[in-house]
Amino acid sequence: MDFNMKKLASDAGVFFSRAVQFTEEKLGQAEKTELDAHFENLLAKADCTKNWTEKILHQTEVLLQPNPSVRVEEFLYEKLDRKVPSRVTNGELLAQYMVEAANDFGPGTPYGKTLLKVGETQKRLGGAERDFMHSASINFLNPLRNFLEGDWRTITKERRILENRRLDLDACKARLKKARAAEAKASAVPDFQETRPRNYILSASASALWSDEVEKAEHELRVAQTEFDRQAELTRLLLEGISSTHVNHLRCLHEFVEAQATYYAQGYQYMLDLQKQLGRFPGTFVGNAESTSPPPATTSPTTVSATIPVVPAVGRAPNPATAVEGALNLSDVKPPASGTRKARVLYDYEAADSSELALLADEMITVYSLPGMDPDWLIGERGNQKGKVPVTYLELLS
């Protein structure tokens, strides 16, 4: 108990000494030991690394999981060392709804068939998203988090110790300076003209006492300087390790980019496959006069290509329908002797280029097809105007 009380008193004295030194430095009443320029640069680099790592880590977590409530829940599971429960992705949930809707509407109906196909693609997209999130978490988030929770905490701890060592060193310098000033004052020549000679004796005794104080302060200063130098070297080594941290984070960043590229490539391929599958079904919607809005998946080729760029497969022959449309000269097109039909326009349609015909809802036009044309399109005529029109915007009349 006695030893603990002594230690407590000693710690309290050290804390008070540091507090006084810190306050006097802030008030400009005490000198401060400055670190060299290289050390200051290392400190600035470390702080910059820590700040940007925190921001990149947080924003990556937002990218992978936009729901803040789910992020907080996952954080609590990690802190409690519990396994995070498995959740379906948004794509997988949408796929589930589409499949259930298709079963209710009838999987044999055109709408049901399309829902099943789109739902299957959404399920594959959800699986790709899950794989990307897992890969990004393992290869990118965890290294950043480990740096902040491991290396950076160690650096912060050693920097705090270094700051305490510096305060102790400067406090020792201040005590030594005061002790030397008092010693010089005490050793000054006394006034021998006084009638009481005891002044000389007291002066000599005080000088000896201050000499002891100077020796003690010098010893404490040497000890404090040694501890400060040792702690500064240890902290310097840790700070120089930030360069290795940058190399490690660079490798992790490459892995994150590769995972993201794989994810988007898979999504692009899945949507290309879905686009090809849906291209077989647009004719099933022709004549559905009860529809109230245009089907978004069967707009003009220009609109589709603006959303998903179509890359031609290597080694495949060009589509003859596309070749015919590309070489189509509207001025030379003649309606066939038989096969023209009347059609009522279901929705407004804005022509994408000069080869197409703009449509207004509820107007009547004459339509016909040419050999080799894309079955999704017809040639429409309105007076002297002529151009391609999408089949899904028409109700063909007998």
Side-chain angles (χ1 to χ4, degrees):
M1 182 66 181
D2 186 32
F3 173 77
N4 292 337
M5 289 298 297
K6 289 181 178 180
K7 185 176 184 303
L8 180 61
S10 175
D11 292 343
V14 171
F15 176 79
F16 179 76
S17 175
R18 291 171 180 172
V20 170
Q21 178 65 27
F22 181 81
T23 303
E24 291 180 349
E25 288 176 358
K26 291 299 182 181
L27 297 176
Q29 300 175 357
E31 297 181 358
K32 177 181 178 181
T33 300
E34 300 292 342
L35 301 170
D36 59 83
H38 176 63
F39 201 100
E40 292 289 351
N41 289 336
L42 290 177
L43 289 174
K45 183 179 180 180
D47 290 334
C48 183
T49 301
K50 179 257 185 182
N51 292 335
W52 284 114
T53 301
E54 284 182 336
K55 292 180 180 179
I56 293 174
L57 173 65
H58 172 72
Q59 197 57 38
T60 306
E61 291 175 337
V62 173
L63 173 67
L64 298 180
Q65 179 51 261
N67 191 330
S69 300
V70 175
R71 290 202 306 273
V72 171
E73 183 179 351
E74 292 177 352
F75 174 79
L76 293 177
Y77 273 105
E78 291 178 0
K79 291 302 180 183
L80 296 175
D81 198 17
R82 300 278 298 275
K83 183 179 179 181
V84 179
S86 178
R87 296 184 180 86
V88 296
T89 62
N90 293 329
E92 292 171 331
L93 185 60
L94 176 60
Q96 178 182 342
Y97 291 162
M98 286 185 170
V99 171
E100 293 176 356
N103 293 330
D104 282 346
F105 296 146
T109 63
Y111 187 34
K113 289 180 181 179
T114 305
L115 278 173
L116 287 175
K117 291 184 176 297
V118 177
E120 179 61 28
T121 300
Q122 294 299 325
K123 182 178 180 180
R124 297 171 70 186
L125 288 172
E129 181 183 5
R130 180 188 299 277
D131 294 340
F132 166 60
M133 293 171 61
H134 178 74
S135 176
S137 177
I138 297 298
N139 299 324
F140 188 61
L141 289 183
N142 284 352
L144 298 185
R145 193 177 290 114
N146 290 338
F147 164 72
L148 294 174
E149 296 179 355
D151 295 348
W152 182 252
R153 284 187 178 179
T154 302
I155 291 174
T156 302
K157 176 183 176 182
E158 298 303 328
R159 286 177 63 177
R160 189 182 302 111
I161 295 176
L162 177 63
E163 179 65 12
N164 290 335
R165 295 287 183 266
R166 186 197 62 76
L167 290 172
D168 294 341
L169 175 63
D170 290 337
C172 289
K173 289 179 179 179
R175 283 197 296 270
L176 177 59
K177 185 177 180 180
K178 292 178 180 179
R180 285 176 175 173
E183 181 189 25
K185 183 177 180 181
S187 61
V189 179
D191 186 4
F192 291 102
Q193 295 180 356
E194 290 190 10
T195 57
R196 292 177 295 179
R198 67 186 183 89
N199 288 338
Y200 177 79
I201 298 175
L202 293 175
S203 178
S205 176
S207 177
L209 289 175
W210 281 114
S211 296
D212 293 340
E213 285 295 326
V214 169
E215 291 180 1
K216 181 179 178 182
E218 288 177 345
H219 173 71
E220 292 177 351
L221 178 60
R222 287 192 296 270
V223 173
Q225 185 70 55
T226 301
E227 293 179 350
F228 173 78
D229 293 340
R230 185 187 300 113
Q231 186 62 34
E233 184 62 23
L234 175 60
T235 307
R236 184 193 303 272
L237 292 175
L238 290 174
L239 294 174
E240 289 175 347
I242 292 293
S243 298
S244 300
T245 300
H246 286 188
V247 174
N248 183 40
H249 289 181
L250 175 61
R251 177 184 58 80
C252 297
L253 184 60
H254 277 280
E255 294 181 358
F256 173 72
V257 171
E258 291 178 3
Q260 196 170 30
T262 301
Y263 166 57
Y264 286 124
Q266 288 177 337
Y268 172 65
Q269 187 60 49
Y270 294 158
M271 295 309 298
L272 277 183
D273 295 341
L274 177 62
Q275 187 182 28
K276 294 176 182 178
Q277 294 179 32
L278 295 184
R280 305 171 188 171
F281 294 97
T284 58
F285 298 100
V286 176
N288 184 6
E290 298 178 359
S291 177
T292 59
S293 61
T298 55
T299 58
S300 67
T302 303
T303 304
V304 174
S305 62
T307 305
I308 303 178
V310 179
V311 180
V314 177
R316 294 181 61 181
N319 189 338
T322 306
V324 169
E325 292 178 20
L328 182 64
N329 189 345
L330 295 179
S331 61
D332 298 336
V333 171
K334 302 296 182 183
S338 60
T340 61
R341 302 178 63 180
K342 290 292 184 180
R344 184 174 70 86
V345 178
L346 298 175
Y347 329 102
D348 291 342
Y349 176 73
E350 183 177 354
D353 52 48
S354 59
S355 67
E356 298 180 5
L357 180 65
L359 303 176
L360 295 175
D362 295 327
E363 69 172 327
M364 302 294 293
I365 62 173
T366 301
V367 295
Y368 51 88
S369 178
L370 295 177
M373 278 192 65
D374 189 329
D376 295 345
W377 295 82
L378 293 172
I379 300 297
E381 291 187 0
R382 182 201 304 114
N384 295 329
Q385 296 179 332
K386 183 186 303 182
K388 297 186 298 181
V389 294
V391 175
T392 50
Y393 280 68
L394 305 173
E395 177 188 1
L396 299 180
L397 305 177
S398 55

